[in-house]
């Protein structure tokens, strides 16, 4: 009885481990005191002349950035930082240049410094999330990309779709890593349990007064063991996303669902394109409507994210 309890407990623990991993990510506190300037490093407030000079240098850096002269832009932002070292925008702008140069360690450095000054910097979280993906620090990358996505949605920033696709890539990469490790662990455990069963059968068959149905018991218990591990393996096998979480127009997983007056939900961008190119009516019910009548379906958006957390292989459909 203890042996089979162990088998089924293994199957249950796998789901519990996934939930604990997700909870750990949600409770993750990234910022450490070392990111914030200590009292020994407090600088005097820049005077008005320094601020004006830093603003001029920032504008020059922006012009260089627009011309794809990223090295020159970095020099201007760095010079401006010597005048206004606590201006987080300069760090974000310099990190954007480093991103273009694919200098990801420098992107991470500037993004972390900027976020230590202002933890609500949308682009700070986004840049740091991308840098951490390249550093293979996937759980931390997910944390910051989700922060960036929440901030983009709050401000209705157009960058939210870009962030969503980046998040989907990282989430799927993270799932691939975890699933490969879990499959390997399951295979090792299955082999170990088969060895234990074989030893138990041998002891029972050679014991005095052994029951005649030892072979029959061996066959049925091996079959039950295989079923347990097969069920565990299926949890790690990709499938088709549930239709409840996919847009009827795009057939893709929802990222920004909106509801029409008829009560049906569609992906916002797809429905707006339908209204613009086809007509101002619900694609399914044909009821007339306008873009101003669309309402963000927050409940469906949250449910979709929960579904993706529980079926992380489905992130592949969002990339």
């Amino acid at each position: 009885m203890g042996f089979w309890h162990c088998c089924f407990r293994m199957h249950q623990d796998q789901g519990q481990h996934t939930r604990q991993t997700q909870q750990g990510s949600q409770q993750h506190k990234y910022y450490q005191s070392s990111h914030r300037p200590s009292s020994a490093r407090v600088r005097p407030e820049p005077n008005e002349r320094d601020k004006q000079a830093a603003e001029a240098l920032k504008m020059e850096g922006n012009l260089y950035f627009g011309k794809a002269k990223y090295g020159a832009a970095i020099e201007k932002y760095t010079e401006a930082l010597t005048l206004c070292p606590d201006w987080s925008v300069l760090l974000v702008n310099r990190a954007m240049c480093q991103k273009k140069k694919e200098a990801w360690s420098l992107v991470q450095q500037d993004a972390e410094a900027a976020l230590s000054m202002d933890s609500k910097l949308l682009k700070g979280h986004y840049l740091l999330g991308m840098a951490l993906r390249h550093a293979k620090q996937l759980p931390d990358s997910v944390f910051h990309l989700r922060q960036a996505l929440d901030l983009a949605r709050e401000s209705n920033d157009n960058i939210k779709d870009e962030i969503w696709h980046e998040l989907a890539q990282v989430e799927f990469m993270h799932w691939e890593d975890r699933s490969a490790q879990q499959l390997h662990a399951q295979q090792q455990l299955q082999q170990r349990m088969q060895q234990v069963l074989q030893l138990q059968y041998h002891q029972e068959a050679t014991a005095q007064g052994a029951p005649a149905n030892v072979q029959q018991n061996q066959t049925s218990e091996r079959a039950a063991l295989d079923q347990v591990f097969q069920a565990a393996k299926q949890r790690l096998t990709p499938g088709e996303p549930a239709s409840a979480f996919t847009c009827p127009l795009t057939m893709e997983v929802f990222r920004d669902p909106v509801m029409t007056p008829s009560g049906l939900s569609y992906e916002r961008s797809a429905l707006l394109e339908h209204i613009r190119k086809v007509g101002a009516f619900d694609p399914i019910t044909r009821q007339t409507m306008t873009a101003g009548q669309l309402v963000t379906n927050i409940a469906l958006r949250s449910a979709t994210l929960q579904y993706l957390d529980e079926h992380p292989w489905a992130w592949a459909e969002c990339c």
Side-chain angles (χ1 to χ4, degrees):
M1 185 66 178
F3 172 78
W4 289 110
H5 178 75
C6 176
C7 291
F8 286 101
R9 182 61 183 272
M10 176 278 298
H11 181 59
Q12 294 172 350
D13 286 349
Q14 181 185 358
Q16 182 179 0
H17 172 74
T18 301
R19 291 190 296 272
Q20 289 174 344
T21 301
Q22 294 165 356
Q23 291 170 357
S25 297
Q26 294 169 355
Q27 296 171 354
H28 175 63
K29 295 183 179 179
Y30 189 85
Y31 307 112
Q32 304 294 328
S33 58
S34 60
H35 288 297
R36 300 187 180 277
S38 65
S39 57
R41 290 180 289 171
V42 172
R43 302 179 180 91
E45 185 72 19
N47 56 41
E48 195 61 32
R49 179 181 298 177
D50 287 343
K51 292 179 180 179
Q52 292 177 357
E55 178 64 33
L57 288 166
K58 181 174 79 73
M59 295 300 295
E60 290 183 55
N62 293 349
L63 289 174
Y64 280 125
F65 183 88
K67 297 177 180 179
K69 296 182 178 180
Y70 305 120
I74 288 172
E75 290 180 3
K76 294 300 179 180
Y77 296 139
T78 302
E79 189 176 350
L81 280 164
T82 62
L83 300 172
C84 294
D86 295 328
W87 194 1
S88 59
V89 172
L90 296 173
L91 290 165
V92 169
N93 287 3
R94 190 168 68 178
M96 290 290 292
C97 295
Q98 303 292 8
K99 170 182 173 290
K100 294 292 187 179
K101 294 165 69 71
E102 298 187 355
W104 294 108
S105 62
L106 296 177
V107 173
Q108 179 177 346
Q109 179 178 317
D110 278 349
E112 286 176 340
L115 287 170
S116 71
M117 300 173 189
D118 183 357
S119 63
K120 296 296 184 181
L121 283 173
L122 188 165
K123 289 185 178 179
H125 283 291
Y126 183 34
L127 289 166
L128 184 52
M130 286 190 288
L132 291 169
R133 172 170 71 87
H134 284 83
K136 304 300 182 184
Q137 299 178 36
L138 300 183
D140 289 340
S141 176
V142 166
F143 172 80
H144 285 286
L145 290 173
R146 289 201 178 202
Q147 291 289 308
L149 182 61
D150 288 342
L151 291 168
R153 283 172 169 171
E154 288 175 9
S155 60
N156 197 28
D157 195 304
N158 290 333
I159 201 175
K160 61 180 181 290
D161 289 342
E162 184 180 330
I163 296 172
W164 173 266
H165 287 296
E166 180 72 19
L167 174 63
Q169 292 182 45
V170 178
E171 290 275 16
F172 185 68
M173 290 170 59
H174 193 202
W175 173 78
E176 284 187 313
D177 287 350
R178 294 198 315 270
S179 63
Q181 294 171 4
Q182 290 173 4
L183 280 173
H184 180 68
Q186 285 178 14
Q187 290 170 355
Q188 288 186 321
L189 183 58
Q190 186 175 10
Q191 292 174 359
R192 177 57 181 159
M193 287 185 169
Q194 287 173 344
Q195 293 171 356
V196 172
L197 272 179
Q198 186 61 40
L199 177 60
Q200 179 180 329
Y201 299 146
H202 177 73
Q203 292 174 345
E204 290 178 355
T206 57
Q208 185 176 5
N213 61 345
V214 169
Q215 184 63 39
Q216 181 180 353
N217 290 343
Q218 177 180 0
T219 302
S220 62
E221 289 181 349
R222 277 186 179 277
L225 179 64
D226 290 341
Q227 288 179 358
V228 170
F229 281 96
Q230 184 62 30
K233 184 177 181 180
Q234 286 179 347
R235 290 174 57 87
L236 302 175
T237 303
E240 290 290 331
S243 60
F245 305 106
T246 57
C247 171
L249 291 178
T250 65
M251 306 306 294
E252 296 177 354
V253 175
F254 282 119
R255 64 176 183 274
D256 189 14
V258 292
M259 185 185 300
T260 67
S262 349
L264 300 180
S265 293
Y266 304 89
E267 184 61 38
R268 182 188 299 275
S269 58
L271 186 55
L272 290 176
E273 183 177 5
H274 166 85
I275 293 173
R276 186 172 61 254
K277 293 183 177 181
V278 183
F281 57 88
D282 189 300
I284 294 178
T285 67
R286 316 295 287 184
Q287 179 180 339
T288 58
M289 64 177 186
T290 64
Q293 292 178 292
L294 304 181
V295 178
T296 301
N297 194 334
I298 297 176
L300 179 56
R301 191 175 70 187
S302 299
T304 301
L305 190 58
Q306 182 178 348
Y307 174 81
L308 289 168
D309 284 339
E310 295 172 355
H311 305 82
W313 47 261
W315 280 106
E317 303 293 327
C318 309
C319 297

